[in-house]
Amino acid sequence: MFANVSPLWRKRLRLIVAAWALLLLVGAFIGSGASVREQVDAAEARVDMDALIGEAAAALTGSSPLAVGPLEAAECTVTPVRVGLSLSRTLQIAEASVWSLETLVDRFGLRNDPDSPVWGATTADYIGLRLTVPEAEPVGGKYAEPLEFRASTGCRPVGEAVGAFAPTAAAAPETGWRYGAVDCLGGGRLESWTEPVDAAPFAVRSTSEACV
């Protein structure tokens, strides 16, 4: 690369290239830090996320049995030197109808590819929404398997006061059961005991089924 310049200029060029690379690295780091500061932290994002699940539950109360899963948290990397958390929660809608699908699509502005069973959107608060519909066509206007409505925060910085990430509850009735609860839009609360399974988000062991 520097074969046609003097040794002195080769040294200078190497220093210039090294300095430029360092500036790019610093700029990228500062830019990522600015974008992180513009986001709310994990605890605040959890409130926004749970509010969306509570809004969906309220919209569907009275039409389908509902169950809410526990808060899921996974460690992630916000910047090269900063660890964060990614949070998610799932609402499972049993005996769902085409009306259930249309209600969620219209309320949250969900979109999908024609050949995909997944509908999605991102809110103004950067909460990701995903509605997964059974691939089998509905019969008599109803789906044979539950719909899955999932909200996730993406990777968020952890503030000084994260708070509790799971609502308090009595000891699990059975080993492996997990408690989930959200406050519903307009009042009421959906509470469920669930258990992870391979074929679905969770198996419902006990649930209030609606905003009560």
Side-chain angles (χ1 to χ4, degrees):
M1 177 179 178
F2 303 136
N4 296 324
V5 298
S6 67
L8 177 60
W9 273 103
R10 281 202 297 269
K11 183 177 181 180
R12 289 177 178 174
L13 287 171
R14 289 192 183 101
L15 289 174
I16 292 171
V17 170
W20 180 248
L22 180 60
L23 284 173
L24 289 176
L25 180 62
V26 171
F29 180 79
I30 292 174
S32 65
S35 65
V36 168
R37 286 193 294 272
E38 290 167 2
Q39 296 181 20
V40 299
D41 66 15
E44 292 179 87
R46 178 196 54 164
V47 174
D48 295 337
M49 179 184 68
D50 280 355
L52 289 165
I53 293 293
E55 182 178 348
L60 298 176
T61 286
S63 63
S64 301
L66 307 173
V68 61
L71 184 71
E72 304 284 357
E75 192 174 277
C76 58
T77 302
V78 179
T79 69
V81 295
R82 192 173 184 187
V83 174
L85 283 175
S86 178
L87 309 175
S88 61
R89 194 186 292 277
T90 299
L91 177 71
Q92 188 165 286
I93 306 143
E95 300 175 17
S97 65
V98 174
W99 177 88
S100 305
L101 169 64
E102 292 174 345
T103 296
L104 294 177
V105 167
D106 291 343
R107 193 174 194 98
F108 297 104
L110 305 177
R111 298 288 183 270
N112 84 323
D113 294 327
D115 297 328
S116 172
V118 178
W119 295 71
T122 301
T123 71
D125 295 322
Y126 302 102
I127 304 297
L129 301 176
R130 186 184 71 191
L131 174 65
T132 304
V133 182
E135 294 190 14
E137 293 292 327
V139 177
K142 289 203 169 186
Y143 293 95
E145 298 189 15
L147 274 63
E148 173 193 337
F149 185 67
R150 185 175 180 85
S152 57
T153 65
C155 193
R156 301 291 183 128
V158 179
E160 293 182 3
V162 173
F165 277 101
T168 56
E174 299 289 343
T175 302
W177 290 20
R178 301 184 300 170
Y179 177 73
V182 290
D183 293 324
C184 300
L185 179 67
R189 187 169 173 84
L190 176 63
E191 301 184 15
S192 307
W193 286 100
T194 60
E195 186 177 12
V197 293
D198 293 334
F202 45 71
V204 181
R205 299 308 180 193
S206 175
T207 181
S208 55
E209 292 195 355
C211 296
V212 296

